[in-house]
Amino acid sequence: MKKVAVLLSGSGVFDGAELHESVLTLLEIARSGASYQCFAPDMAQLHVVNHLTGEVDEADNRNVLVESARIARGDVKPVADLNVDEFVALIIPGGFGAAKNLCNFALAGADHIIESSVKHFISQFTQAKKPVGFMCISPVMIPQCYEAGALGTIGSDVGTAAAFEKQGGVHKVALVDDIVVDEVNKVVSTPAYMLADNIVDAHNGITKLVARVLSMA
């Protein structure tokens, strides 16, 4: 049975991993006959957002690994515990946590950097030539994970696409249910909730991404 690592960034679209994207990813991996293991960095998240009001709760502090355990039903490991030989691929759901906790794109834009433990985690897959799937905003990390010219998509947002290309990537505009495949680097990306108006729209692209990633493994 193929086993896929899934990298989470907390729990909740505004400060962590997007829950719909995360759960649909786990569902499609399982429906494909593969298994998964969730991972997350053991670190404080940038901030906590009240998802009812959209406001930052200055009095609250949360840990990315602990929050990710909500999605994983407790079965999540810190990124430092990865044994890459156990996995055929990696998939990274989006949500603002990918741009706030996995990297600082939400603050620094085109000048962002990937959090060091996260970059090391992803690099173990790239160095082993194993396929990686990125969805929603997480593809902004692609240019830092691969040589210049790596192909990916965040959908059609002009500013984010420009930042992607400033860091050395090649951005391809895509529709909500499209996937963009970089065959050379074994990278697959889809816009998901960068464009999706509903869970069905997001699901269609995620289904294609999971299938393609597994086919490359």
Side-chain angles (χ1 to χ4, degrees):
M1 178 184 290
K2 293 180 177 179
K3 191 172 184 179
V4 180
V6 177
L7 178 60
L8 301 176
S9 56
S11 178
V13 59
F14 299 126
D15 58 13
E18 212 294 319
L19 271 79
H20 293 178
E21 293 176 4
S22 301
V23 172
L24 290 171
T25 296
L26 302 182
L27 173 64
E28 289 306 316
I29 292 171
R31 288 180 63 182
S32 297
S35 64
Y36 58 80
Q37 174 64 56
C38 294
F39 289 88
D42 186 2
M43 56 179 281
Q45 61 187 55
L46 175 65
H47 56 211
V48 178
V49 175
N50 181 324
H51 279 58
L52 187 61
T53 66
E55 298 177 351
V56 174
D57 185 347
E58 300 289 357
D60 200 354
N61 296 286
R62 301 191 185 186
N63 177 281
V64 176
L65 179 65
V66 173
E67 289 300 292
S68 296
R70 294 177 179 272
I71 298 175
R73 296 175 60 87
D75 186 13
V76 62
K77 296 181 178 181
V79 293
D81 286 1
L82 173 69
N83 178 356
V84 73
D85 293 336
E86 296 179 358
F87 301 93
V88 299
L90 166 66
I91 297 179
I92 310 174
F96 278 105
K100 292 178 176 180
N101 303 324
L102 302 187
C103 71
N104 65 343
F105 181 81
L107 301 178
D111 297 319
H112 77 95
I113 58 173
I114 301 173
E115 196 278 329
S116 59
S117 69
V118 171
K119 189 166 187 179
H120 176 66
F121 178 86
I122 298 173
S123 72
Q124 292 179 73
F125 289 90
T126 63
Q127 290 171 7
K129 308 298 183 184
K130 296 185 177 185
V132 183
F134 296 82
M135 61 186 66
C136 191
I137 192 63
S138 74
V140 297
M141 296 186 288
I142 290 174
Q144 291 191 39
C145 296
Y146 299 90
E147 297 290 336
L151 182 65
T153 189
I154 48 76
S156 57
D157 182 76
V158 174
T160 309
F164 185 96
E165 297 206 328
K166 182 178 179 181
Q167 289 220 337
V170 175
H171 183 267
K172 183 176 180 180
V173 173
L175 299 177
V176 63
D177 60 348
D178 286 341
I179 58 172
V180 170
V181 182
D182 182 332
E183 298 282 1
V184 174
N185 291 301
K186 293 187 176 181
V187 179
V188 186
S189 51
T190 191
Y193 273 105
M194 287 293 287
L195 293 178
D197 292 323
N198 54 63
I199 195 170
V200 175
D201 286 347
H203 189 201
N204 290 336
I206 291 168
T207 299
K208 294 177 183 177
L209 180 144
V210 171
R212 191 56 179 270
V213 166
L214 286 172
S215 74
M216 300 170 83

